[in-house]
Amino acid sequence: MLEHVPVFPGDPILTVNEAFRRDTRPFKVNLSIGVYLDEEGNVPVMQSVHIVERRIAAEARPRPYLPMEGLAAMRQVTGELLFGSDSQVMAEGRVATVQTVGSSGALRLAAEFIAVWLPGYKAAVSSPTWENHRAIFNACGVEVVQYPYYDPATKALAFDDMLQGLEHLPQCTAVVLHACCHNPTGVDLNESQWDAVIDLLVRRKLLPIIDFAYQGYGRGIEEDAYAVRRLADSGLTFMVANSFSKNMSVYGERAGALSVVLEPACVDNVLGQMQSLVRRLWSNPPAHAAYIVADILTSEDLSALWRKEVNAMRSRILGARQLLFSHLGSSEKYRYLLNQVGMFSYTGLRLDQVEQLKEQYGIYLVPSGRICVASLNAANMPYVAEALKSVDN
Ligand code: LMR
């Protein structure tokens, strides 16, 4: 009955991560998946998270089914974090936030919503983009097109080409943009470039979908929200898919949300149709994830502690970038490590070089040549730098 089912060729990120786990070589290094590791090479349990988890356990807090749209307190604090504590769109009731199963779930929900309620819309993704964007939209029957973003020659933003590409998209297009720490390139827009892009999006009435998985990892928690807040001021309808996986280090809890900013008169209906989609996808989201996010962000003390911890993670990544650059002889060839922002750098390594790193050195990258800088530490850095130099000639 099932002989026709073909082999799964693997996921470009998660399958590499699994191959790393199976590798028994003691000196192996995992630069594939986007996970922040501390100096000891562990996924940190943040103090702020640990405190609320102990409280939840001590209270023996029940885990009923949450509403389809998620925990109210979690949705509220998520909106405040994204749009700002003094946000006008929040005050005017112009935001519909749904708690989702990570930001992958948020993107899937956005794609499902578009497929049903905006038929004929295409999704435009940056070239390159996170490998799963295309797959998620395609899975919902939404055609995916690309707009220029990255220039391999300069290892920087192809800004004029990007504007041109956006200018020529069909009007019924959802444009997926990375708020900060672009995945996979680490190449971000500066504020004046964002202003120009947002003016264009508004003028052309395109539908921005902001993928915001790394808030706090770029320039700062508030600074990284620049594009989201500028869009909120613009009056345009748009969506934000955000994640707490990275900035709360709760990858396995699947903490995320989809927020739609829209006309106040449409909020209830859009939220209702989102509930209907959620019921068919995951029914209702995880309670533990909601408790962690809500408990931290509703407490002044815990919020302050959390912000301090996020800032420390960002500084560690910056330090890792500088250290790798210096281990690579501070050569101009590698200056991109200092210009690119966030967890990822795009090395420009070819597939055969990526393979060589894996076979010869036990160093795992995703096939595109993206490295997760946040997995580097003082102990593995010299080894990684030597290996990179040896294959990159
Ligand atoms: C990544 O890009 O490595 C992360 O966002 C994890 C994932 O789900 O792909």
Side-chain angles (χ1 to χ4, degrees):
M1 187 192 285
L2 299 177
E3 277 159 359
H4 63 288
V5 177
V7 170
F8 171 46
D11 179 82
I13 298 174
L14 300 186
T15 305
V16 179
N17 193 46
E18 282 156 22
F20 172 81
R21 282 206 197 127
R22 285 194 302 272
D23 191 327
T24 52
R25 290 175 285 180
F27 47 82
K28 65 181 181 173
V29 183
N30 189 5
L31 304 182
S32 65
I33 196 159
V35 171
Y36 174 94
L37 302 181
D38 61 19
E39 266 303 304
E40 283 67 52
N42 300 316
V43 177
V45 176
M46 292 168 75
Q47 272 187 62
S48 46
V49 172
H50 200 198
I51 291 170
V52 300
E53 288 191 313
R54 281 194 301 242
R55 276 189 201 160
I56 295 165
E59 286 170 22
R61 195 181 301 175
R63 309 241 165 155
Y65 287 130
L66 292 185
M68 291 170 279
E69 70 278 16
L71 187 75
M74 186 274 191
R75 296 165 53 226
Q76 175 67 24
V77 291
T78 297
E80 288 165 9
L81 185 67
L82 298 177
F83 303 107
S85 50
D86 54 353
S87 155
Q88 208 173 328
V89 286
M90 291 284 288
E92 289 169 357
R94 289 181 48 212
V95 184
T97 297
V98 176
Q99 183 194 336
T100 57
V101 181
S103 63
S104 301
L107 290 163
R108 178 70 191 229
L109 184 59
E112 297 272 354
F113 184 88
I114 287 170
V116 177
W117 297 110
L118 296 169
Y121 263 65
K122 296 180 201 289
V125 298
S126 60
S127 171
T129 194
W130 180 52
E131 276 82 351
N132 216 15
H133 278 151
R134 179 179 287 278
I136 287 174
F137 283 95
N138 279 340
C140 299
V142 177
E143 190 191 327
V144 177
V145 295
Q146 288 190 319
Y147 60 85
Y149 188 83
Y150 174 77
D151 178 359
T154 58
K155 292 195 164 72
L157 186 68
F159 185 59
D160 291 341
D161 293 348
M162 178 187 183
L163 283 183
Q164 281 249 331
L166 296 178
E167 195 65 69
H168 290 104
L169 290 174
Q171 199 193 333
C172 294
T173 304
V175 186
V176 180
L177 294 147
H178 306 229
C180 67
C181 309
H182 183 269
N183 182 2
T185 66
V187 171
D188 280 354
L189 279 72
N190 63 31
E191 291 187 359
S192 66
Q193 288 167 331
W194 271 121
D195 292 345
V197 166
I198 290 169
D199 288 348
L200 186 157
L201 296 168
V202 171
R203 176 168 50 76
R204 298 222 44 233
K205 296 194 175 63
L206 297 167
L207 170 64
I209 300 182
I210 308 295
D211 186 339
F212 202 5
Y214 301 96
Q215 186 171 7
Y217 274 48
R219 292 182 299 133
I221 291 173
E222 304 302 324
E223 293 84 343
D224 290 346
Y226 181 80
V228 167
R229 295 179 189 176
R230 262 288 274 114
L231 272 168
D233 292 340
S234 77
L236 194 63
T237 293
F238 70 103
M239 302 187 185
V240 185
N242 84 290
S243 170
F244 294 97
S245 296
K246 274 77 176 176
N247 61 18
M248 290 200 177
S249 190
V250 289
Y251 303 87
E253 300 296 349
R254 312 313 293 133
L258 179 68
S259 298
V260 188
V261 180
L262 70 174
E263 290 298 309
C266 306
V267 168
D268 288 349
N269 289 2
V270 167
L271 191 61
Q273 292 304 332
M274 293 280 183
Q275 290 171 318
S276 159
L277 290 168
V278 163
R279 179 64 171 142
R280 286 155 185 76
L281 287 166
W282 52 78
S283 204
N284 38 65
H288 191 68
Y291 292 159
I292 293 171
V293 173
D295 282 25
I296 292 177
L297 296 181
T298 50
S299 148
E300 228 172 86
D301 293 352
L302 290 174
S303 273
L305 174 60
W306 172 71
R307 282 172 184 267
K308 215 168 111 196
E309 293 185 280
V310 175
N311 292 343
M313 294 199 286
R314 184 176 63 255
S315 304
R316 203 195 80 73
I317 297 175
L318 257 176
R321 286 185 175 280
Q322 280 151 359
L323 198 57
L324 182 59
F325 180 65
S326 85
H327 276 291
L328 289 165
S330 302
S331 144
E332 276 313 299
K333 182 175 170 188
Y334 297 110
R335 185 160 293 280
Y336 66 86
L337 287 166
L338 304 183
N339 298 335
Q340 297 175 354
V341 180
M343 263 193 169
F344 302 118
S345 264
Y346 216 43
T347 60
L349 290 177
R350 298 183 311 267
L351 193 55
D352 61 300
Q353 294 168 314
V354 171
E355 279 299 308
Q356 194 187 345
L357 280 171
K358 180 176 79 184
E359 297 305 327
Q360 205 172 326
Y361 297 95
I363 297 176
Y364 286 70
L365 275 60
V366 292
S368 66
R370 180 193 84 173
I371 56 170
C372 178
V373 185
S375 306
L376 292 167
N377 55 50
N380 63 24
M381 193 85 69
Y383 178 66
V384 169
E386 279 317 304
L388 281 176
K389 277 195 277 189
S390 86
V391 303
D392 187 16
N393 45 42

